[in-house]
Amino acid sequence: MLDAATASLKGVPFRPQAWMAGAGTGLAQDLDWSLLLTCVRHHRLDLLMTSLLDPEADIPEHVRAALKQGERAATAVALQRAGELARVARCFSDAGIDMLALKGPVLSAQIHGHPFRRVCSDLDLLVRPDDEGPARRLLLGLGYGGTDADVLVCQNAVTLRHGRTGALIDLHTRMGEDERLAPTRAFRPFETAVEVQLAGVRVRTPALPASMAYAAYHGAHHRWFRLQWLADIAAVTRRTDLDWAEVAEIARLAGTERHLALSLRLCRSLFGCEPAGIPPMFPRLPARARAGVLQAESVVPMALALPPLSEYDMVRRVGRFRILRAELALTQRRSAWLARLRLRLQPTVTDRNFLRLPPALGFLYYAVRFIRVLWETGRAGLPHRPLQHPDRRPGAHRGP
């Protein structure tokens, strides 16, 4: 089912011992190298591809040169991100504010042994809810969120832009958009945190089992439209020092077992990777849960289909109702089901801008939202052109 969606990986000559080797089938003569380069950039694999490709394969020189250039550019950005995270972490430590770094350079260090194997567009920080005010003030002193245009409040974080450099920090107080969807207490991020060295600074981050359970939830939340998120999990499946039973237990407590089962199914389908030492997770789920995973999996080929699109246009291509059904199919608990439904059907700023209503008629925005969802779903079958991926910045539109 995923063959057409991942055509850009078929025929790629990976090293035989590389963990991604299961995605390729040997060098294909009709491989579209231009499309491959586009997909590498879109899926944020710039820092992985050159190390995974077979050096003996007959790859055109201009392709190798383009990959190396992309790797150098992404490495420079990764160095900047790691240095800035170290600076921010030192300031949080000096101020006595408990802060954890999520994803980004620390996850790269956990998975690959150093912080320069993941492309990240921003830095994600997690603080306790009571520390949000002090954290905002500290980041303001560091140049983040100085004006209203540099602050954007989202469902799961506050995005702060640096007034001079334009760097972005997402400040989280919980792991998911709603505590009923991914309860932070189930991940126990602060209680089980570990330290990662970045530029001589000890940066705290969730332990790898919690990071993997969170990665599965995060990837499914974005319909896995970037392969980097799956590549993270696929790379970890080859490690022998991770207790996947512990990862599964965290997912069970969080109510995200289906998200984890889906991620492992996709790793096996796309990369030929699955965790060692434990039986496959999917067959052990109840029949209803397996049906939910399969329904959610059915949207992944459309999310990954070529040509790659921005997330906003990908949502249009797949269809909002189809995505909502997939999200609800992954949801195990009734409270989480209702929370997901409320989040997706809650009027947005775009809905309010679409039709100006007086405050007394504000309840009608729910109808506006529903009509817009129907309209966008009807447009899902129309052809889409690939878009330039705009920089994600406060003040810009972030989603449908």
Side-chain angles (χ1 to χ4, degrees):
M1 181 180 67
L2 289 166
D3 285 351
T6 58
S8 58
L9 291 179
K10 302 301 179 182
V12 176
F14 293 109
R15 292 176 185 266
Q17 70 274 22
W19 54 262
M20 199 185 276
T25 56
L27 181 60
Q29 299 303 315
D30 59 347
L31 184 60
D32 187 336
W33 293 106
S34 176
L35 179 59
L36 174 65
L37 293 174
T38 298
C39 290
V40 167
R41 289 190 296 270
H42 169 77
H43 292 294
R44 297 181 178 174
L45 300 175
D46 311 72
L47 294 172
L48 291 173
M49 286 301 290
T50 56
S51 64
L52 295 174
L53 290 177
D54 186 349
E56 304 299 324
D58 186 19
I59 299 174
E61 276 306 312
H62 75 277
V63 174
R64 287 192 184 275
L67 289 172
K68 288 299 293 184
Q69 181 179 357
E71 182 182 47
R72 285 192 294 269
T75 299
V77 173
L79 281 166
Q80 293 172 352
R81 299 278 188 268
E84 181 65 358
L85 178 56
R87 181 177 80 99
V88 170
R90 182 186 291 111
C91 293
F92 270 88
S93 178
D94 292 344
I97 302 175
D98 201 3
M99 181 274 289
L100 304 182
L102 303 177
K103 304 180 290 181
V106 288
L107 183 58
S108 176
Q110 285 181 298
I111 295 174
H112 303 288
H114 61 81
F116 312 125
R117 278 290 179 265
R118 293 190 83 252
V119 176
C120 57
S121 61
D122 57 22
L123 297 175
D124 290 87
L125 310 180
L126 175 68
V127 297
R128 302 177 192 273
D130 291 343
D131 287 333
E132 182 179 8
R136 288 280 299 273
R137 289 190 290 272
L138 186 152
L139 290 170
L140 178 60
L142 295 177
Y144 288 91
T147 68
D148 290 343
D150 293 325
V151 179
L152 179 63
V153 179
C154 306
Q155 288 180 342
N156 67 331
V158 176
T159 298
L160 305 170
R161 181 176 60 188
H162 195 281
R164 180 175 56 83
T165 67
L168 299 175
I169 285 181
D170 281 356
L171 183 65
H172 303 257
T173 57
R174 55 180 181 261
M175 300 293 280
E177 317 92 282
D178 188 293
E179 281 296 313
R180 291 167 292 181
L181 294 172
T184 304
R185 65 181 181 278
F187 295 91
R188 302 184 67 222
F190 291 98
E191 295 83 353
T192 62
V194 297
E195 292 182 342
V196 173
Q197 287 279 348
L198 286 181
V201 178
R202 295 180 178 179
V203 182
R204 282 164 47 83
T205 188
L208 192 55
S211 292
M212 287 298 97
Y214 175 65
Y217 173 80
H218 176 263
H221 172 65
H222 291 284
R223 277 73 62 181
W224 299 109
F225 91 108
R226 292 198 195 278
L227 288 176
Q228 180 190 36
W229 302 321
L230 274 178
D232 289 337
I233 298 175
V236 176
T237 62
R238 296 299 179 93
R239 294 178 50 160
T240 59
D241 59 341
L242 176 64
D243 184 357
W244 280 95
E246 183 179 354
V247 180
E249 177 62 12
I250 294 172
R252 185 189 68 80
L253 293 173
T256 59
E257 260 186 315
R258 300 180 192 182
H259 301 76
L260 180 59
L262 174 59
S263 71
L264 296 179
R265 274 180 61 85
L266 293 174
C267 284
R268 183 177 182 180
S269 299
L270 296 176
F271 305 131
C273 299
E274 56 185 337
I278 64 168
M281 184 177 182
F282 178 75
R284 293 182 286 120
L285 293 176
R288 183 176 180 181
R290 293 199 303 272
V293 171
L294 292 177
Q295 183 172 344
E297 187 180 294
S298 68
V299 308
V300 176
M302 290 177 281
L304 291 175
L306 301 173
L309 301 175
S310 68
E311 185 168 16
Y312 177 76
D313 266 27
M314 179 276 294
V315 169
R316 286 184 52 213
R317 174 165 64 189
V318 176
R320 296 176 191 275
F321 271 129
R322 188 178 286 114
I323 284 176
L324 177 59
R325 288 180 60 196
E327 289 176 330
L328 295 177
L330 288 177
T331 304
Q332 297 173 215
R333 298 167 181 161
R334 180 175 177 81
S335 60
W337 195 91
L338 292 173
R340 175 62 69 193
L341 194 63
R342 181 185 65 82
L343 282 173
R344 288 305 179 207
L345 297 182
Q346 185 174 4
T348 65
V349 173
T350 307
D351 299 322
R352 298 180 189 279
N353 290 337
F354 180 78
L355 180 64
R356 301 288 185 177
L357 294 174
L361 298 178
F363 65 93
L364 292 177
Y365 280 119
Y366 285 91
V368 173
R369 175 64 176 168
F370 187 74
I371 292 170
R372 286 191 67 244
V373 169
L374 281 178
W375 178 62
E376 291 286 354
T377 300
R379 296 176 63 192
L382 298 178
H384 293 77
R385 61 180 181 86
L387 297 180
Q388 295 289 334
H389 291 201
D391 292 334
R392 184 164 63 86
R393 62 191 187 281
H397 179 61
R398 280 190 65 184

